[in-house]
Amino acid sequence: MGEPSKSHLLITLFCAVCFLRSASNGVAAQTPLFACDVTSDPTRATFQFCNTSLGTAERVKDLVSRLTLPEKIGNLVNKATAVARLGIPSYEWWSEALHGVSYVGPGTHFSSLVPGATSFPQVITTAASFNTSLFQAIGKVVSTEARAMHNVGLAGLTFWSPNVNIFRDPRWGRGQETPGEDPLLSSKYATGYVKGLQEADDPDKLKVAACCKHYTAYDVDNWKGIQRYTFNAKVTKQDMDDTFQPPFKSCVIDGNVASVMCSYNQVNGVPTCADPDLLAGTIRGEWNLNGYIVTDCDSVNELYYHQHYTKTPEDAAAITIKAGLDLNCGSFLGSHTLAAIQGGKLAEEDVDRAITNNFAVLMRLGFFDGDPRKLPYGRLGPGDVCTAANQELAREAARQGIVLLKNDHGHLPLDAKAIKSLAVIGPNANATFTMIGNYEGTPCKYTSPLQGLGAIVKTVYAPGCTNVGCSGNSLQLDAAVAAASAADATVLVVGADQSIERESFDRLDLLLPGQQTALITAVAKAAKGPVVLVIMSGGPFDITFAKSNDNIPAILWVGYPGEAGGAAIADVLFGYFNPCGRLPVTWYPESFADAVDMTDMRMRPDPSVGYPGRTYRFYTGETVYNFGDGLSYTDYTHHLVTAPKLVSIPLDDNHACRYQRCISLPVSESGCSGLSFDVRLRVRNAGGTSGSHTVFLFSTPPRVHNAPMKHLLGFEKVYLQPRAAAEVVFTVNVCRDLSLADEVGERKVALGAHVLHVGSLKHSLSLKI
């Protein structure tokens, strides 16, 4: 794997130093918000909730006991009420950190002291790296910058990120925020990013508090007038268990996340924020959440005023709190909880339970431990934001997430010495803000594709369209064709931005916007040298026309690659970095959008009505590109070293399946707890270029209980020098990995023939009693 050019590194270091000097030059820091300030008022030291030698539960119990009912209610909303007599300031719970510290939400803002923070690639791009260590590394940097900003009064400590919803439909405007369509990938991302954000030196403390959202079966925003605020997601128990719930379960159990956000929509007729089975039963009870449950903003308001789920606002307040809700983003609970108690619909003890969960998180964050500048992370400040190392990690994340989809005849990488003129064309060719996607913050700086490419070779820029909508009026075809026809090579950067896909806005089709197809086709036909098509987007497009066009030998998808996206694109195109990203979503043809209703939540196909199913696990139709697709500048081979052909599950002598044929066993009865085996593989770089390679282990289970056609059991990233090899080991747990959800959502171990897949390699495994 090649290294970035020295000029790139020097520019990065120079800009970082300039930023730090300007950010800290003569600008006074604000005082961070915190409780238990015993320096200004020594009497506060007598409060048990300020005594750091006591346990969290004891401290919270003391605090709650001192509050009046109005003060308690004031701590059910995101803008929590100050309790001046106890030295507790108002706290704003709502901050965001989807892929960097964000200015979305009132809890965080930028100033001349900290004018920007590191803006990593949008989540869908980072997920394409399939690199779990990267997920956690990004989380650590984001939490460090968040703490640094908190110490100067610019940020809170509770961040409502990440979004771990399944990217079920390619038209979804918020798919860009997610780790993709696969439950395992989403679970691994959730766990890694949450750990990066939260983990502190003291296991009982939190660096910052993360929040997994939007719980659950949430993936319709605004499609043909159907709004997320009132949408009723009709979901089978089977699909809930094996598709929609796993990322949230992993978030809570494996990531130990501090919060879960319930969504706007209903699931099978019940608003998620009012469903005791989903909240108190599953999140708090079955998964044992150590934290708080918060609404999406104004969800309680929506379920009363627009879903008309309750007759009165007091009923709405009562039903959500009793269901397990702890915090309301919005003002609804602050306005109607007292009346609910006075009307006998809610007990004060219910409020005590909710705010106990909220205060426990703030205790773990150190909010009641005194001045944060005297505590762990207290030395962090503006100089720890936008460091050269952080910005380089943003560039590395973008490089790892870029997916090479086509490279006919090895036209890539481009030879910088051979190219005297590079035509850079397209509405995203000089993109800056577009590169960072939504839920963004102010970045440290931008490197657009044009800037990144221009740092290596001489460029000629022609946008082709003035914006991504690329209407007939904005098409500037002549200049684009002229540039391509004279240049040694052409890079076309097209795709989407937030005007095409975003929160509250779903797409209606899968075609490139406006006249982009015409622009690409005309430029490719006229080009003198090789044409590289770069798609910048969160969701997939039907680019069959380009895939089959011999005039377009190379195609890349770069997602929304973050602040350093242009530099990362240039690194890949010129071979300073060997591409290793893989698609985290299926790319469907336009016929899918024509035939399939976005609001149909079924994952599994229904041949009787021509319904093709969704995602690589169940979809039976044609694809443009598949989940996991991605090329490299080298070739990798896989050799199976060892894997069992037969695994026997021990059962009691009197078990019914010893005397009758069973197609599956309930996990609870199977005796497979702790039963596992290793799949050992020899992976070799057969080419002449070093690079990283993602090894996928898929399984095709027996055709029982409407099982997936295949599903991902594991993935590992391995870096190999030319001609080098390494062993990759997957430990397969029978209960966890070879079980599936039956028709009523019960986990079953499928008996019979399982087929394990690694690339083109297949291995049959029989699971018997």
Side-chain angles (χ1 to χ4, degrees):
M1 179 170 61
E3 295 294 328
S5 67
K6 292 182 179 179
S7 63
H8 280 193
L9 294 177
L10 288 172
I11 291 169
T12 300
L13 291 168
F14 176 77
C15 291
V17 171
C18 292
F19 164 76
L20 293 177
R21 287 175 176 170
S22 64
S24 58
N25 186 19
V27 181
Q30 302 176 45
T31 301
L33 290 176
F34 61 95
C36 297
D37 184 358
V38 297
T39 302
S40 61
D41 186 350
T43 64
R44 294 170 183 163
T46 63
F47 300 147
Q48 286 191 35
F49 70 82
C50 291
N51 185 347
T52 58
S53 68
L54 300 177
T56 296
E58 188 175 357
R59 294 175 72 188
V60 173
K61 183 177 180 181
D62 176 72
L63 172 56
V64 172
S65 71
R66 296 175 186 272
L67 299 178
T68 66
L69 181 56
E71 289 167 346
K72 293 176 180 178
I73 293 171
N75 279 277
L76 291 172
V77 294
N78 65 285
K79 183 64 175 177
T81 302
V83 186
R85 62 186 180 84
L86 298 179
I88 303 173
S90 173
Y91 177 74
E92 176 54 68
W93 287 82
W94 182 7
S95 291
E96 304 276 357
L98 183 68
H99 51 105
V101 179
S102 170
Y103 48 55
V104 177
T108 301
H109 59 279
F110 296 96
S111 73
S112 57
L113 184 63
V114 182
T118 307
S119 188
F120 291 93
Q122 182 61 289
V123 177
I124 194 68
T125 310
T126 297
S129 73
F130 284 87
N131 186 342
T132 55
S133 62
L134 179 64
F135 304 158
Q136 189 162 349
I138 292 173
K140 286 182 178 180
V141 167
V142 174
S143 59
T144 294
E145 296 196 345
R147 271 286 180 173
M149 293 177 66
H150 174 71
N151 290 342
V152 292
L154 294 175
L157 294 167
T158 48
F159 291 84
W160 292 346
S161 303
N163 179 343
V164 298
N165 292 119
I166 294 296
F167 195 173
R168 175 189 62 95
D169 191 287
R171 294 162 289 190
W172 188 29
R174 301 190 75 173
Q176 60 180 291
E177 303 173 30
T178 76
E181 70 182 34
D182 181 71
L184 179 69
L185 173 58
S186 297
S187 296
K188 294 286 189 182
Y189 179 86
T191 300
Y193 191 63
V194 166
K195 285 183 175 181
L197 288 175
Q198 291 193 164
E199 285 186 347
D201 295 334
D202 184 338
D204 294 326
K205 295 291 188 178
L206 294 166
K207 191 177 179 187
V208 301
C211 174
C212 286
K213 62 185 185 184
H214 310 79
Y215 181 80
T216 182
Y218 169 80
D219 58 3
V220 175
D221 264 58
N222 181 1
W223 182 75
K224 295 186 177 181
I226 298 170
Q227 296 280 345
R228 56 184 173 160
Y229 305 111
T230 54
F231 177 59
N232 178 24
K234 297 177 181 178
V235 188
T236 68
K237 291 182 179 180
Q238 188 174 33
D239 286 341
M240 281 289 285
D241 183 88
D242 76 358
T243 294
F244 297 109
Q245 294 291 72
F248 292 99
K249 184 177 182 180
S250 291
C251 221
V252 176
I253 294 176
D254 302 323
N256 194 24
V257 75
S259 177
V260 174
M261 176 184 286
C262 52
S263 54
Y264 291 114
N265 57 289
Q266 297 182 359
V267 175
N268 299 325
V270 182
T272 63
C273 294
D275 191 329
D277 292 333
L278 287 176
L279 303 189
T282 301
I283 299 177
R284 184 76 60 191
E286 182 183 343
W287 299 343
N288 196 27
L289 173 71
N290 182 19
Y292 68 101
I293 299 174
V294 61
T295 71
D296 204 340
C297 293
D298 288 325
S299 284
V300 187
N301 181 85
E302 294 299 322
L303 73 85
Y304 170 66
Y305 284 106
H306 296 112
Q307 296 181 19
H308 308 295
Y309 189 71
T310 63
K311 292 183 178 180
T312 69
E314 294 80 21
D315 289 333
I319 196 173
T320 51
I321 293 173
K322 290 168 75 172
L325 187 67
D326 302 312
L327 188 71
N328 170 209
C329 178
S331 59
F332 194 95
L333 293 186
S335 301
H336 300 291
T337 299
L338 180 60
I341 293 173
Q342 292 171 338
K345 299 176 178 181
L346 189 69
E348 185 171 351
E349 290 76 15
D350 295 317
V351 175
D352 289 350
R353 173 201 51 77
I355 63 172
T356 292
N357 292 327
N358 299 339
F359 285 133
V361 170
L362 289 180
M363 289 284 181
R364 293 167 64 202
L365 286 162
F367 189 75
F368 290 90
D369 292 354
D371 191 337
R373 294 167 294 189
K374 299 178 181 178
L375 299 172
Y377 314 112
R379 293 188 176 184
L380 296 174
D384 298 290
V385 183
C386 285
T387 65
N390 293 356
Q391 291 187 65
E392 182 58 27
L393 182 62
R395 182 172 175 172
E396 175 66 16
R399 288 189 289 234
Q400 290 196 30
I402 291 173
V403 182
L404 178 62
L405 293 171
K406 180 181 179 181
N407 190 22
D408 288 354
H409 311 298
H411 277 289
L412 290 181
L414 299 174
D415 184 351
K417 295 180 180 178
I419 294 176
K420 305 304 179 184
S421 174
L422 179 70
V424 184
I425 296 169
N428 279 334
N430 200 25
T432 51
F433 182 74
T434 294
M435 294 192 301
I436 59 178
N438 69 351
Y439 279 81
E440 75 286 355
T442 303
C444 309
K445 63 173 185 177
Y446 289 114
T447 303
S448 73
L450 180 62
Q451 291 171 320
L453 296 166
I456 299 175
V457 296
K458 180 182 178 182
T459 59
V460 176
Y461 171 54
C465 295
T466 57
N467 55 64
V468 296
C470 203
S471 65
N473 293 334
S474 69
L475 189 62
Q476 301 173 346
L477 194 56
D478 291 345
V481 166
S485 64
D488 295 324
T490 297
V491 176
L492 273 158
V493 191
V494 299
D497 63 12
Q498 301 308 301
S499 70
I500 303 299
E501 51 181 1
R502 65 179 184 276
E503 185 174 8
S504 298
F505 191 83
D506 300 321
R507 287 191 282 155
L508 296 178
D509 60 51
L510 300 177
L511 302 176
L512 287 171
Q515 299 297 310
Q516 286 193 28
T517 298
L519 171 67
I520 295 165
T521 303
V523 167
K525 183 178 181 180
K528 181 178 75 171
V531 174
V532 181
L533 178 63
V534 177
I535 309 293
M536 187 180 293
S537 69
F541 287 102
D542 183 349
I543 56 168
T544 303
F545 78 96
K547 181 180 180 181
S548 60
N549 189 337
D550 292 338
N551 293 325
I552 304 174
I555 302 175
L556 295 88
W557 174 77
V558 301
Y560 293 123
E563 64 172 42
I569 291 169
D571 289 341
V572 169
L573 291 186
F574 283 96
Y576 301 119
F577 186 89
N578 189 352
C580 58
R582 300 291 194 95
L583 287 181
V585 291
T586 300
W587 284 39
Y588 302 85
E590 172 61 10
S591 58
F592 177 91
D594 294 336
V596 178
D597 193 314
M598 187 175 175
T599 58
D600 192 328
M601 300 294 292
R602 292 176 296 170
M603 299 302 300
R604 289 158 169 82
D606 184 352
S608 67
V609 294
Y611 181 69
R614 294 175 182 274
T615 78
Y616 80 94
R617 297 165 68 224
F618 303 105
Y619 177 62
T620 55
E622 296 295 322
T623 62
V624 179
Y625 289 107
N626 297 314
F627 174 88
D629 277 356
L631 303 174
S632 169
Y633 293 152
T634 190
D635 295 311
Y636 300 94
T637 61
H638 309 98
H639 173 71
L640 180 64
V641 176
T642 181
K645 293 183 178 180
L646 172 66
V647 174
S648 297
I649 298 176
L651 290 181
D652 293 337
D653 290 341
N654 60 352
H655 195 285
C657 289
R658 286 200 175 273
Y659 309 102
Q660 64 188 43
R661 182 180 179 273
C662 295
I663 61 172
S664 64
L665 293 168
V667 167
S668 58
E669 302 175 10
S670 68
C672 67
S673 178
L675 185 62
S676 63
F677 59 87
D678 287 345
V679 176
R680 295 182 178 273
L681 299 153
R682 190 74 170 169
V683 182
R684 183 171 178 267
N685 181 349
T689 304
S690 61
S692 293
H693 175 58
T694 299
V695 184
F696 294 109
L697 177 63
F698 290 99
S699 171
T700 295
R703 298 303 296 161
V704 297
H705 303 306
N706 295 315
M709 294 184 294
K710 69 174 184 176
H711 65 112
L712 187 61
L713 298 188
F715 57 89
E716 292 291 339
K717 197 97 171 183
V718 59
Y719 177 80
L720 293 170
Q721 295 286 349
R723 315 299 177 186
E727 188 173 85
V728 174
V729 180
F730 292 99
T731 298
V732 178
N733 180 285
V734 172
C735 277
R736 180 192 65 206
D737 299 319
L738 299 184
S739 66
L740 47 86
D742 71 7
E743 291 80 355
V744 295
E746 184 179 356
R747 299 300 297 182
K748 297 285 184 66
V749 178
L751 298 175
H754 296 250
V755 179
L756 304 179
H757 308 252
V758 178
S760 60
L761 188 69
K762 293 185 178 181
H763 174 76
S764 294
L765 164 73
S766 182
L767 195 62
K768 295 183 177 181
I769 57 174

